[in-house]
Amino acid sequence: MQEKANEMIKIFIDKEPVEAEQGTTVLKAAERAGIHIPHLCYHPAFPPEGSCRMCLVEIEGFPKLELACSTVVKDEMKISAKSERVVKARKAVLEFLLAEHPLDCPICDKAGDCKLQDYYDEYGLFESQFKEAKEKREKKLKIGKSLILDQERCVLCTRCVRFLKEVTTTQDLGVFHRGVHSSVNIYEGAAVENNYSGNLAEICPVGAITDEDFRFKTRSWFLKEGESICPLCSRGCNILIEYHPGFPRFEVPKRVYRIKARENPEVNDFWVCDRGRYGYSYLDEHRADKIIMNKIEGENVLTWENISEYLGEKIKRLSSAKKTSGIALILHTWLSNEELFLLHKIFKDDLKVEKIFFADLPQGEADGYLLTSETSPNRRGAQEIGFDIKPVDLDALASGTDFLLAFGPFLSGLFSPKDLKAALNTVKRKVLFSSYTHELNSLFDIVLPVALIAEKEGSLTNVEGKVQGFQPALEPPGESLPEWKVLSDLGKELGIDSKFYSELPSPEAILIEMGKKIPFFKKKND
Amino acid sequence: MKEKVLTEHFGLENLYKIDVYKKQGGYQATEKALKKMKPEEILEEVKKANLRGRGGAGFPAGVKWSFVPDTDKPKYLCVNADEGEPGTFKDRYIMSHNPHMLLEGIIITSFCVGIHAAFIYIRGEYEAIALRLEQAISEAYENGFLGKNILESGFDLDIFVHRGAGAYICGEETALLESLEGKRGVPRLKPPFPASVGLWQCPTVINNVETISNISHIILNGAEWFVKQGLPKDGGTRIFGVSGMVKNPGIYELPLGTSLKDIIFKHAGGMKEGKKLKAVIPGGMSAPILTADEINIKMDFDSLVEANSMLGSAAIIVIDEKTSILDVLKVVTKFYSHESCGQCTPCRIGNSWINKIVKRIAEGKGKKEDIDSILRLASNIEGNTLCPLGDAAAMPILSITKKFRKELESHV
């Protein structure tokens, strides 16, 4: 349902007329107009706190400076966001904060990402007048699984405290003591132990809460970020993947350093769960980057250029002999909507293949908030496309299969190696599309390295039926290619509906085609 | 004819007992209000009496009550008995000498606003007084002035005494509410104001002990009489608490507008040991300091504002020539640094910073530029904090440093 848009009113920020939504705050109205009003304690997920005093602005008719984060706009309101008086107050707040700050930026993980640094750069650059002894506090408090609290760097914005109060409702952190001795801490004998703890390091505007998973591994300014969707459950949380563009820079071939939440009020708000945040090793570890040819007749050397010809020839031979019953597919639901659609069209609609199985990770446990029990990202998409999601039946697979196309690494986790080997040995020709170097690969004739969701374009349908598009955040390693590319080449090669394939240059075009055939995807696409 | 209103019977033995109190006409106002008056009439009378808040801000009580919206939610009254402003000790006298006068005020106020639960938030150190209040409350229940269907008027009211845990900030009305709710006592962002969103998110009236204690007198004698006890826009008397280097420190109930000079030299007997007057803090420690030349001033809200100070809680701290102004500044800055709740940046760090400088000066390690630093830092606190504590600290620090700069400079 379309929400009724709020009435717009006119306000002035630094004499410039700005349109603002009725009922919004000065800070939000400014943000909407592209004017950043400095703030530390304000976070859009929570009600205004008003404690950092960085966002003070001058409003005509008000004797004192007012908080931009909590003052509601009124028609014709005249706001000065950078008048001399405002800048003076802003500098004053910065001076206070820096007075009791350890200024250990060179060894602070947040350097480069730190709001205090940014604001000092913008408003400060003043000499310190603080000649007194700074307060000594805890600098390395382990407060949770992966979180380190440095109380000296803390600016007491209490974003962390409020997150744990309002989002997780676990209230694991509190403010202790009073005045300049005030500090954030865990309660005696307790710790931040929930599936959302990693968000604390992310919302901390300074280097007070840092993440052991990231700490001291790189500097944030070496990293680039790409947008993607978390595939580790069926929620489809929007994420940013931070990676080192100079990979491999060091001996440890690490490319991805950090996952951050990307705001989406309809899916994950500002958050990702710890499973999604810390579970990124799948992006770099044991990645396949070359076509593997274990068993191949003749003198064929397979490359991506001739692979569709090779596969197409095998399929066409079975098809013309009316033996498509000898074809089997093992799919998974990490494949995108577009890929699953192409698979459905080629094998189910056109070739009438019946042996189609799904090999996914087993179900996990939902956490009651974002994390779903479904462990793969696109089961709903596969259902909407029309697949009957059947688990792999090794007996059925072993009876009369001439040609098997299998996708993904998950098969190995579902059966004992012995059973799997026995079943696959009965299949004449078998090809695996996988992103990983894995024992499983040795059971197939050919293994084709494919891109992960983070490395390709497409869309996923989340547990609530929301279709979300994604673009490549990372380059696929080595020779890896996305499955949709191989599948549309194969479709073209088979020549069954050649016009259809000649007009499908991209996942975007495939999704439009899907919309024409499946109302579910049209509706979501509008 | 001006007379004592609140402290009239303070000399009487066992005034805190309900029988003695009733013999002096006690609870007649309650009978009158509950049996003969409508809530609107009470509100009108209090408004006409121009009773301004005695806690420090001086906001008209009747106007405050009228801000309470008409809702289905429960409404609450919180009596601010967290008397923590240095130099202030008037409320403890009222509560220990005449607790029933306060209870009467609470009953009438609650009846007027439609409140059925009232809380007395009393500072933790007043343990004995809290006990006395509890006793008075149970006497009031026994005599039918509290509980269900009070004096058969159909009006119900319960009063609860809640002891604070020793934080100055809990005298700030919204921090008081937080503390009363069982949370860490830190001020809330305003708006919304407590009159609409207060205790447990319900409309709440918060008044000082002395303010509420005036109510029964207004009801019994009328608004016109009350105004005559003070000034037209500032009705009633004021209990001045005089402390420091005077011959007779103590509380003095006098008409609003009495001159400061008279209070010190006539009522409080003049300077102790014949010392010369150096300075006066006229309204609790937060009030900007006055020099000996500035004491020819009327003690009322407006006159003190004109003199760039404030009447505040009407606590007069008298400082003689022998007292080092650096010591005064040290006490002031130590207090605010210690009592800042720590929630907002300028108050949390500014007050501690200033205190560190003043301590250093007192240790003989001061530098010339320190005086300017104190002024700069205090003015960076002033007006920029979440609650009035920032201003309460900056005002005395600025005025002391400016008015006694020469003396302070002699220490660096």
Side-chain angles (χ1 to χ4, degrees), chain A residues 53 95 100 132 177 179, chain B residues 184 340 356 360 376 384-385:
Chain A
R53 316 307 286 178
E95 188 185 14
E100 288 288 352
E132 324 307 319
H177 307 295
Chain B
R184 180 180 162 83
S340 164
K356 285 176 179 176
R360 185 162 49 73
R376 187 174 68 83
N384 291 339
T385 55

Side-chain angles (χ1 to χ4, degrees), chain A residues 48-53 56 64-65 67 70 88 92 95-97 99-100 129-130 132-133 135 155-156 175 177-180 182, chain B residues 166-167 184 189 337-346 348-350 352-353 356-357 360 376-377 380-381 383-386 391:
Chain A
E49 179 78 353
S51 65
C52 76
R53 316 307 286 178
L56 289 171
K64 281 184 169 187
L65 297 179
L67 290 170
S70 68
K88 183 175 172 273
E95 188 185 14
F96 286 138
L97 288 173
E100 288 288 352
Q129 304 293 315
F130 190 75
E132 324 307 319
E135 299 296 320
V155 292
L156 254 346
V175 179
H177 307 295
R178 203 167 66 185
V180 79
S182 302
Chain B
R184 180 180 162 83
L189 206 54
S337 168
H338 182 65
E339 293 296 347
S340 164
C341 79
Q343 185 177 207
C344 78
T345 311
R348 175 178 74 244
I349 299 169
S352 151
W353 186 347
K356 285 176 179 176
I357 295 176
R360 185 162 49 73
R376 187 174 68 83
L377 297 173
N380 281 343
I381 298 172
N384 291 339
T385 55
L386 192 147
D391 289 352

Side-chain angles (χ1 to χ4, degrees), chain A residues 229 336-342 378 381 384-385 457-461 465-471 484 488 500 503-526:
Chain A
I229 291 175
S336 72
N337 289 325
E338 293 76 8
E339 288 159 349
L340 288 165
F341 174 76
L342 289 176
N378 204 23
E384 297 296 341
I385 285 161
E457 183 189 344
S459 70
L460 295 167
T461 309
K466 188 176 168 56
V467 176
Q468 302 191 88
F470 54 86
Q471 294 291 323
W484 64 264
S488 52
F500 179 82
E503 286 168 6
L504 292 178
S506 70
E508 201 185 343
I510 300 170
L511 188 61
I512 292 168
E513 278 308 310
M514 288 171 73
K516 290 180 192 160
K517 298 207 159 57
I518 309 170
F520 176 85
F521 290 97
K522 176 158 178 56
K523 192 180 65 192
K524 304 288 160 177
N525 223 0
D526 281 342

Side-chain angles (χ1 to χ4, degrees), chain B residues 49-118:
Chain B
N50 287 331
L51 168 65
R52 293 175 70 163
R54 291 342 191 202
F59 196 82
V63 178
K64 203 183 226 182
W65 300 359
S66 66
F67 288 156
V68 174
D70 200 12
T71 92
D72 294 338
K73 281 188 175 179
K75 301 167 195 169
Y76 299 106
L77 171 66
C78 293
V79 177
N80 189 343
D82 191 49
E83 187 169 49
E85 180 70 25
T88 314
F89 48 89
K90 61 188 179 66
D91 294 338
R92 66 182 297 166
Y93 274 92
I94 296 174
M95 292 185 287
S96 52
H97 283 80
N98 200 349
H100 286 286
M101 178 170 67
L102 174 63
L103 299 187
E104 266 207 277
I106 293 172
I107 297 163
I108 297 165
T109 305
S110 301
F111 176 69
C112 172
V113 185
I115 289 163
H116 304 291

Side-chain angles (χ1 to χ4, degrees), chain B residues 157-208:
Chain B
L157 176 68
D158 292 305
I159 301 180
F160 306 91
V161 177
H162 184 100
R163 281 176 64 201
Y168 172 69
I169 193 60
C170 291
E172 195 280 333
E173 58 179 13
T174 57
L176 184 152
L177 295 177
E178 289 284 295
S179 172
L180 197 50
E181 288 181 7
K183 301 176 190 153
R184 180 180 162 83
V186 292
R188 295 177 183 173
L189 206 54
K190 290 193 269 192
F193 291 92
S196 48
V197 182
L199 191 61
W200 296 302
Q201 307 294 304
C202 296
T204 304
V205 172
I206 306 169
N207 280 128
N208 172 258

